[in-house]
Amino acid sequence: MRLLHLPAHEYRRERWRNERGWTREIHRHPEGAADWQWRASIAEIDQDAPFSAFPGCDRELVLLAGEGMHLHFDDGETHTLLPPHERLRFAGERPLRAELLSGPTHDFNLIWRRDAVDATLLHRPLVGPMVFFAEQGVTWLVHLLRGQAWFKDLARPLRLEQGDSVLLLPDPDGPSRLILEGGGELLLAKLHPAAATTAI
C-alpha cells in the first residue's frame, strides 16, 4: 500500500450540480476526472434545497455537524438525520429534498458508480492502533472525524488532524500493512471494483 495525504485545508470547494449548495471535495477517482468512478466530499447545506441527481450512482450521507435534517423523497419516503452522526444510503437518481431542522449542516457524502465500484462506509472509534492490510484492488479512504491520529512505522510518520483524510492505495511495492495510532473517531470507506455479473 501507499499513502496519499488529503489535508482538510486543501479540499476544493465547488457549487452543487443544481447550484443550490456547496461541497468541499475530498477526492475523486480517477483524480481530476470529469467522469469519475467515486467521489468523497463534505456538503454544506445552509437552506432547504433539493439534492442534485446522480443517475447510475449509489451514495451515502453522514451528518457531520449541525442539528440535522429531514430528507423527503419524491416517492413519499422520509428519513431524519440527527446528531451526532446518523447516516443514510440511497440511490443517486432518487429525487429528494433536504429540510433543515435548525440551521446549516455539514455532511460527509460518498458517491460511487454502482456498475464500477463496490463501497462500504464504516464509522469507528479510534482507540490505540488500527491495522490495515493490503488487499488486491482495495482502496481505503480514512476521514478523521474527531481527535488526532498518525501512521507509524514509516520513514516519516504521517499525522492527521481533525477533518483530514488519507487514501490507502494498492501498491505491490509498498508495505503489506499500515498501522494507524491515535484517539478519536473515523469514517472508513472501503472501495474496490464491482464484482462482474454473468448474463444467463
Side-chain angles (χ1 to χ4, degrees):
M1 288 183 286
R2 64 182 175 90
L3 297 176
L4 177 61
H5 187 200
L6 305 168
H9 68 269
E10 293 184 6
Y11 298 162
R12 184 168 59 88
R13 193 167 185 257
E14 62 181 23
R15 293 291 281 173
W16 291 1
R17 282 184 176 182
N18 65 13
E19 299 188 350
R20 298 296 296 273
W22 290 90
T23 193
R24 285 179 287 142
E25 185 176 88
I26 298 172
H27 188 77
R28 65 174 62 189
H29 175 78
E31 190 171 358
D35 186 21
W36 40 263
Q37 295 186 352
W38 65 266
R39 188 184 77 166
S41 63
I42 297 173
E44 303 172 4
I45 305 176
D46 57 12
Q47 60 179 317
D48 297 350
F51 275 31
S52 300
F54 287 89
C57 295
D58 287 327
R59 63 192 298 183
E60 190 155 351
L61 197 68
V62 183
L63 183 69
L64 297 182
E67 296 303 311
M69 60 183 162
H70 298 302
L71 296 178
H72 300 281
F73 291 89
D74 278 11
D75 60 12
E77 187 177 350
T78 299
H79 290 270
T80 301
L81 301 186
L82 297 173
H85 299 303
E86 287 199 344
R87 58 203 283 187
L88 183 66
R89 182 171 174 145
F90 55 95
E93 51 270 288
R94 292 182 68 189
L96 78 155
R97 176 180 175 83
E99 179 188 349
L100 298 173
L101 295 181
S102 180
T105 67
H106 288 181
D107 308 274
F108 184 89
N109 192 24
L110 182 66
I111 307 175
W112 62 96
R113 278 182 39 201
R114 67 176 68 95
D115 64 342
V117 176
D118 285 334
T120 302
L121 186 60
L122 308 169
H123 177 204
R124 292 289 185 267
L126 179 62
V127 183
M130 180 179 289
V131 183
F132 295 86
F133 292 96
E135 300 177 69
Q136 186 175 359
V138 171
T139 294
W140 286 94
L141 174 68
V142 179
H143 179 74
L144 185 61
L145 289 173
R146 181 181 60 83
Q148 291 187 327
W150 57 94
F151 283 92
K152 56 185 292 185
D153 297 337
L154 301 174
R156 296 180 60 185
L158 173 61
R159 298 192 66 87
L160 301 179
E161 302 296 333
Q162 184 168 311
D164 286 357
S165 302
V166 65
L167 279 178
L168 281 58
L169 298 158
D171 185 349
D173 297 324
S176 60
R177 71 172 190 174
L178 292 167
I179 301 174
L180 182 65
E181 287 266 13
E185 292 179 83
L186 304 169
L187 287 177
L188 304 171
K190 184 178 183 180
L191 304 128
H192 57 88
T197 56
T198 303
I200 298 176

Short mmCIF file of all heavy atoms in Angstrom, two decimals, residues 97-137:
data_model
loop_
_atom_site.label_atom_id
_atom_site.label_comp_id
_atom_site.label_asym_id
_atom_site.label_seq_id
_atom_site.Cartn_x
_atom_site.Cartn_y
_atom_site.Cartn_z
N ARG A 97 -35.45 16.09 -1.32
CA ARG A 97 -35.28 17.46 -0.86
C ARG A 97 -34.87 17.42 0.61
O ARG A 97 -35.41 16.63 1.39
CB ARG A 97 -36.59 18.24 -1.03
CG ARG A 97 -36.57 19.66 -0.48
CD ARG A 97 -37.91 20.33 -0.69
NE ARG A 97 -37.96 21.65 -0.06
CZ ARG A 97 -37.49 22.75 -0.62
NH1 ARG A 97 -36.95 22.68 -1.83
NH2 ARG A 97 -37.56 23.91 -0.01
N ALA A 98 -33.90 18.27 0.98
CA ALA A 98 -33.46 18.38 2.36
C ALA A 98 -34.20 19.53 3.04
O ALA A 98 -34.29 20.64 2.50
CB ALA A 98 -31.96 18.63 2.42
N GLU A 99 -34.72 19.26 4.24
CA GLU A 99 -35.35 20.29 5.07
C GLU A 99 -34.56 20.37 6.38
O GLU A 99 -34.53 19.42 7.17
CB GLU A 99 -36.80 19.91 5.36
CG GLU A 99 -37.53 20.90 6.24
CD GLU A 99 -38.89 20.40 6.66
OE1 GLU A 99 -39.36 19.39 6.11
OE2 GLU A 99 -39.48 21.02 7.57
N LEU A 100 -33.89 21.49 6.60
CA LEU A 100 -33.05 21.65 7.78
C LEU A 100 -33.90 21.78 9.04
O LEU A 100 -34.95 22.42 9.04
CB LEU A 100 -32.16 22.88 7.62
CG LEU A 100 -31.17 22.83 6.45
CD1 LEU A 100 -30.46 24.17 6.29
CD2 LEU A 100 -30.16 21.71 6.64
N LEU A 101 -33.42 21.18 10.14
CA LEU A 101 -34.17 21.22 11.39
C LEU A 101 -33.94 22.53 12.13
O LEU A 101 -34.87 23.14 12.67
CB LEU A 101 -33.77 20.05 12.28
CG LEU A 101 -34.13 18.67 11.75
CD1 LEU A 101 -33.70 17.60 12.74
CD2 LEU A 101 -35.62 18.56 11.48
N SER A 102 -32.67 22.98 12.18
CA SER A 102 -32.36 24.22 12.90
C SER A 102 -30.97 24.70 12.49
O SER A 102 -29.99 24.45 13.18
CB SER A 102 -32.42 23.99 14.42
OG SER A 102 -32.12 25.19 15.10
N GLY A 103 -30.91 25.36 11.35
CA GLY A 103 -29.63 25.90 10.92
C GLY A 103 -28.86 24.97 10.00
O GLY A 103 -29.27 23.84 9.72
N PRO A 104 -27.71 25.44 9.49
CA PRO A 104 -26.93 24.71 8.48
C PRO A 104 -26.38 23.39 9.00
O PRO A 104 -26.23 23.18 10.21
CB PRO A 104 -25.79 25.68 8.16
CG PRO A 104 -26.26 27.02 8.59
CD PRO A 104 -27.15 26.78 9.77
N THR A 105 -26.07 22.51 8.06
CA THR A 105 -25.40 21.25 8.37
C THR A 105 -24.20 21.06 7.45
O THR A 105 -24.15 21.62 6.35
CB THR A 105 -26.33 20.03 8.21
OG1 THR A 105 -26.67 19.87 6.82
CG2 THR A 105 -27.60 20.18 9.03
N HIS A 106 -23.26 20.26 7.91
CA HIS A 106 -22.19 19.72 7.08
C HIS A 106 -22.34 18.21 7.07
O HIS A 106 -22.59 17.61 8.12
CB HIS A 106 -20.81 20.12 7.62
CG HIS A 106 -20.48 21.56 7.44
ND1 HIS A 106 -19.29 22.11 7.84
CD2 HIS A 106 -21.19 22.58 6.88
CE1 HIS A 106 -19.27 23.40 7.55
NE2 HIS A 106 -20.41 23.71 6.98
N ASP A 107 -22.18 17.62 5.89
CA ASP A 107 -22.49 16.21 5.73
C ASP A 107 -21.44 15.53 4.86
O ASP A 107 -21.15 16.00 3.75
CB ASP A 107 -23.87 16.05 5.08
CG ASP A 107 -24.94 16.85 5.81
OD1 ASP A 107 -25.49 16.31 6.77
OD2 ASP A 107 -25.18 18.01 5.42
N PHE A 108 -20.89 14.42 5.35
CA PHE A 108 -19.98 13.61 4.55
C PHE A 108 -20.79 12.90 3.49
O PHE A 108 -21.84 12.33 3.77
CB PHE A 108 -19.26 12.59 5.44
CG PHE A 108 -18.23 11.77 4.74
CD1 PHE A 108 -16.92 12.20 4.66
CD2 PHE A 108 -18.56 10.55 4.15
CE1 PHE A 108 -15.95 11.44 4.02
CE2 PHE A 108 -17.61 9.79 3.51
CZ PHE A 108 -16.29 10.24 3.44
N ASN A 109 -20.30 12.93 2.25
CA ASN A 109 -21.07 12.45 1.11
C ASN A 109 -20.17 11.57 0.25
O ASN A 109 -19.22 12.05 -0.37
CB ASN A 109 -21.54 13.68 0.31
CG ASN A 109 -22.58 13.33 -0.73
OD1 ASN A 109 -23.28 12.34 -0.62
ND2 ASN A 109 -22.67 14.17 -1.75
N LEU A 110 -20.46 10.27 0.24
CA LEU A 110 -19.73 9.32 -0.60
C LEU A 110 -20.64 8.88 -1.73
O LEU A 110 -21.76 8.41 -1.49
CB LEU A 110 -19.29 8.11 0.22
CG LEU A 110 -18.48 7.05 -0.51
CD1 LEU A 110 -17.13 7.59 -0.96
CD2 LEU A 110 -18.30 5.80 0.36
N ILE A 111 -20.19 9.05 -2.98
CA ILE A 111 -20.97 8.69 -4.17
C ILE A 111 -20.11 7.79 -5.05
O ILE A 111 -18.92 8.07 -5.26
CB ILE A 111 -21.38 9.95 -4.97
CG1 ILE A 111 -22.08 10.97 -4.08
CG2 ILE A 111 -22.28 9.57 -6.14
CD1 ILE A 111 -22.41 12.28 -4.79
N TRP A 112 -20.72 6.71 -5.56
CA TRP A 112 -19.95 5.80 -6.41
C TRP A 112 -20.84 5.23 -7.52
O TRP A 112 -22.04 5.06 -7.34
CB TRP A 112 -19.33 4.68 -5.59
CG TRP A 112 -20.31 3.78 -4.89
CD1 TRP A 112 -20.79 2.57 -5.32
CD2 TRP A 112 -20.95 4.02 -3.62
NE1 TRP A 112 -21.67 2.05 -4.42
CE2 TRP A 112 -21.79 2.91 -3.37
CE3 TRP A 112 -20.89 5.06 -2.69
CZ2 TRP A 112 -22.55 2.82 -2.22
CZ3 TRP A 112 -21.66 4.97 -1.55
CH2 TRP A 112 -22.47 3.86 -1.32
N ARG A 113 -20.24 4.98 -8.67
CA ARG A 113 -20.94 4.37 -9.79
C ARG A 113 -21.13 2.89 -9.50
O ARG A 113 -20.16 2.15 -9.35
CB ARG A 113 -20.15 4.55 -11.09
CG ARG A 113 -20.34 5.89 -11.75
CD ARG A 113 -19.56 6.00 -13.04
NE ARG A 113 -19.59 4.75 -13.80
CZ ARG A 113 -18.71 4.43 -14.74
NH1 ARG A 113 -17.72 5.25 -15.02
NH2 ARG A 113 -18.81 3.28 -15.39
N ARG A 114 -22.39 2.47 -9.41
CA ARG A 114 -22.66 1.11 -8.96
C ARG A 114 -22.19 0.05 -9.95
O ARG A 114 -21.98 -1.10 -9.56
CB ARG A 114 -24.14 0.95 -8.63
CG ARG A 114 -25.09 1.03 -9.79
CD ARG A 114 -26.52 0.75 -9.35
NE ARG A 114 -27.05 1.80 -8.50
CZ ARG A 114 -27.78 2.81 -8.95
NH1 ARG A 114 -28.06 2.92 -10.24
NH2 ARG A 114 -28.24 3.73 -8.13
N ASP A 115 -22.02 0.41 -11.24
CA ASP A 115 -21.55 -0.58 -12.20
C ASP A 115 -20.02 -0.72 -12.16
O ASP A 115 -19.47 -1.65 -12.76
CB ASP A 115 -21.99 -0.21 -13.62
CG ASP A 115 -21.38 1.10 -14.11
OD1 ASP A 115 -20.91 1.90 -13.26
OD2 ASP A 115 -21.37 1.33 -15.33
N ALA A 116 -19.34 0.17 -11.45
CA ALA A 116 -17.87 0.17 -11.45
C ALA A 116 -17.26 -0.10 -10.09
O ALA A 116 -16.14 -0.62 -10.00
CB ALA A 116 -17.35 1.51 -11.97
N VAL A 117 -17.97 0.26 -9.01
CA VAL A 117 -17.38 0.25 -7.68
C VAL A 117 -18.34 -0.37 -6.67
O VAL A 117 -19.56 -0.14 -6.74
CB VAL A 117 -17.02 1.68 -7.23
CG1 VAL A 117 -16.49 1.71 -5.81
CG2 VAL A 117 -16.01 2.31 -8.19
N ASP A 118 -17.79 -1.16 -5.75
CA ASP A 118 -18.50 -1.56 -4.54
C ASP A 118 -17.92 -0.76 -3.38
O ASP A 118 -16.69 -0.64 -3.26
CB ASP A 118 -18.32 -3.06 -4.26
CG ASP A 118 -19.15 -3.92 -5.19
OD1 ASP A 118 -20.19 -3.45 -5.69
OD2 ASP A 118 -18.76 -5.08 -5.44
N ALA A 119 -18.78 -0.20 -2.54
CA ALA A 119 -18.32 0.66 -1.46
C ALA A 119 -18.99 0.27 -0.14
O ALA A 119 -20.18 -0.04 -0.11
CB ALA A 119 -18.62 2.13 -1.78
N THR A 120 -18.21 0.31 0.93
CA THR A 120 -18.70 0.10 2.28
C THR A 120 -18.19 1.26 3.13
O THR A 120 -16.99 1.57 3.10
CB THR A 120 -18.19 -1.22 2.88
OG1 THR A 120 -18.59 -2.31 2.03
CG2 THR A 120 -18.76 -1.44 4.27
N LEU A 121 -19.08 1.92 3.86
CA LEU A 121 -18.70 3.05 4.71
C LEU A 121 -18.93 2.68 6.17
O LEU A 121 -20.03 2.28 6.55
CB LEU A 121 -19.52 4.29 4.33
CG LEU A 121 -19.15 5.60 5.03
CD1 LEU A 121 -17.70 5.98 4.73
CD2 LEU A 121 -20.09 6.72 4.59
N LEU A 122 -17.87 2.80 6.97
CA LEU A 122 -17.90 2.41 8.38
C LEU A 122 -17.62 3.61 9.26
O LEU A 122 -16.82 4.48 8.90
CB LEU A 122 -16.84 1.34 8.65
CG LEU A 122 -16.85 0.10 7.74
CD1 LEU A 122 -15.59 -0.72 7.97
CD2 LEU A 122 -18.09 -0.74 8.00
N HIS A 123 -18.26 3.65 10.43
CA HIS A 123 -17.99 4.66 11.46
C HIS A 123 -17.38 3.93 12.64
O HIS A 123 -18.02 3.04 13.21
CB HIS A 123 -19.29 5.37 11.85
CG HIS A 123 -19.13 6.37 12.95
ND1 HIS A 123 -20.17 6.74 13.76
CD2 HIS A 123 -18.06 7.07 13.37
CE1 HIS A 123 -19.74 7.64 14.63
NE2 HIS A 123 -18.46 7.85 14.43
N ARG A 124 -16.13 4.27 13.00
CA ARG A 124 -15.42 3.50 14.01
C ARG A 124 -14.71 4.43 15.00
O ARG A 124 -14.18 5.47 14.61
CB ARG A 124 -14.37 2.59 13.36
CG ARG A 124 -14.94 1.46 12.53
CD ARG A 124 -15.60 0.41 13.41
NE ARG A 124 -16.06 -0.75 12.67
CZ ARG A 124 -17.29 -0.89 12.19
NH1 ARG A 124 -18.17 0.09 12.35
NH2 ARG A 124 -17.64 -1.98 11.54
N PRO A 125 -14.65 4.02 16.27
CA PRO A 125 -13.79 4.72 17.22
C PRO A 125 -12.33 4.37 16.94
O PRO A 125 -12.03 3.28 16.44
CB PRO A 125 -14.24 4.18 18.57
CG PRO A 125 -14.76 2.81 18.27
CD PRO A 125 -15.38 2.89 16.90
N LEU A 126 -11.44 5.29 17.25
CA LEU A 126 -10.01 5.02 17.18
C LEU A 126 -9.46 5.09 18.60
O LEU A 126 -9.39 6.17 19.20
CB LEU A 126 -9.30 6.03 16.28
CG LEU A 126 -7.78 5.87 16.15
CD1 LEU A 126 -7.42 4.53 15.53
CD2 LEU A 126 -7.19 7.01 15.33
N VAL A 127 -9.12 3.93 19.14
CA VAL A 127 -8.58 3.82 20.49
C VAL A 127 -7.35 2.94 20.41
O VAL A 127 -7.47 1.71 20.37
CB VAL A 127 -9.61 3.24 21.48
CG1 VAL A 127 -9.04 3.21 22.89
CG2 VAL A 127 -10.91 4.01 21.44
N GLY A 128 -6.19 3.56 20.30
CA GLY A 128 -4.97 2.77 20.12
C GLY A 128 -4.75 2.42 18.66
O GLY A 128 -5.22 3.12 17.76
N PRO A 129 -4.05 1.31 18.38
CA PRO A 129 -3.67 1.00 16.99
C PRO A 129 -4.82 0.38 16.18
O PRO A 129 -5.63 -0.37 16.71
CB PRO A 129 -2.52 0.01 17.15
CG PRO A 129 -2.76 -0.64 18.47
CD PRO A 129 -3.42 0.39 19.35
N MET A 130 -4.86 0.73 14.91
CA MET A 130 -5.77 0.11 13.93
C MET A 130 -4.91 -0.32 12.74
O MET A 130 -4.17 0.50 12.19
CB MET A 130 -6.85 1.10 13.51
CG MET A 130 -7.85 0.53 12.49
SD MET A 130 -9.13 1.75 12.04
CE MET A 130 -10.10 1.82 13.56
N VAL A 131 -5.01 -1.59 12.35
CA VAL A 131 -4.13 -2.14 11.33
C VAL A 131 -4.90 -2.32 10.02
O VAL A 131 -6.01 -2.89 10.02
CB VAL A 131 -3.53 -3.49 11.77
CG1 VAL A 131 -2.57 -4.02 10.71
CG2 VAL A 131 -2.82 -3.35 13.11
N PHE A 132 -4.32 -1.84 8.92
CA PHE A 132 -4.88 -2.02 7.58
C PHE A 132 -3.94 -2.95 6.81
O PHE A 132 -2.73 -2.70 6.72
CB PHE A 132 -4.98 -0.68 6.84
CG PHE A 132 -5.93 0.29 7.45
CD1 PHE A 132 -5.52 1.14 8.47
CD2 PHE A 132 -7.24 0.37 7.00
CE1 PHE A 132 -6.40 2.05 9.04
CE2 PHE A 132 -8.13 1.28 7.56
CZ PHE A 132 -7.70 2.12 8.58
N PHE A 133 -4.51 -4.03 6.27
CA PHE A 133 -3.73 -4.98 5.49
C PHE A 133 -4.00 -4.77 4.00
O PHE A 133 -5.14 -4.49 3.60
CB PHE A 133 -4.09 -6.42 5.88
CG PHE A 133 -3.65 -6.79 7.27
CD1 PHE A 133 -4.54 -6.70 8.33
CD2 PHE A 133 -2.35 -7.20 7.52
CE1 PHE A 133 -4.15 -7.03 9.62
CE2 PHE A 133 -1.95 -7.53 8.80
CZ PHE A 133 -2.85 -7.45 9.86
N ALA A 134 -2.96 -4.91 3.20
CA ALA A 134 -3.11 -4.77 1.76
C ALA A 134 -4.02 -5.87 1.21
O ALA A 134 -3.86 -7.04 1.55
CB ALA A 134 -1.75 -4.83 1.09
N GLU A 135 -4.98 -5.48 0.37
CA GLU A 135 -5.84 -6.42 -0.34
C GLU A 135 -5.86 -6.02 -1.80
O GLU A 135 -5.94 -4.83 -2.13
CB GLU A 135 -7.27 -6.38 0.21
CG GLU A 135 -7.40 -6.75 1.67
CD GLU A 135 -8.84 -6.61 2.14
OE1 GLU A 135 -9.69 -7.41 1.70
OE2 GLU A 135 -9.11 -5.68 2.92
N GLN A 136 -5.82 -6.99 -2.68
CA GLN A 136 -5.75 -6.70 -4.10
C GLN A 136 -6.94 -5.87 -4.55
O GLN A 136 -8.09 -6.23 -4.32
CB GLN A 136 -5.69 -8.00 -4.92
CG GLN A 136 -5.48 -7.78 -6.40
CD GLN A 136 -5.30 -9.08 -7.16
OE1 GLN A 136 -5.31 -10.16 -6.56
NE2 GLN A 136 -5.13 -9.00 -8.46
N GLY A 137 -6.66 -4.73 -5.18
CA GLY A 137 -7.70 -3.89 -5.74
C GLY A 137 -8.46 -3.03 -4.75
O GLY A 137 -9.34 -2.26 -5.14
#
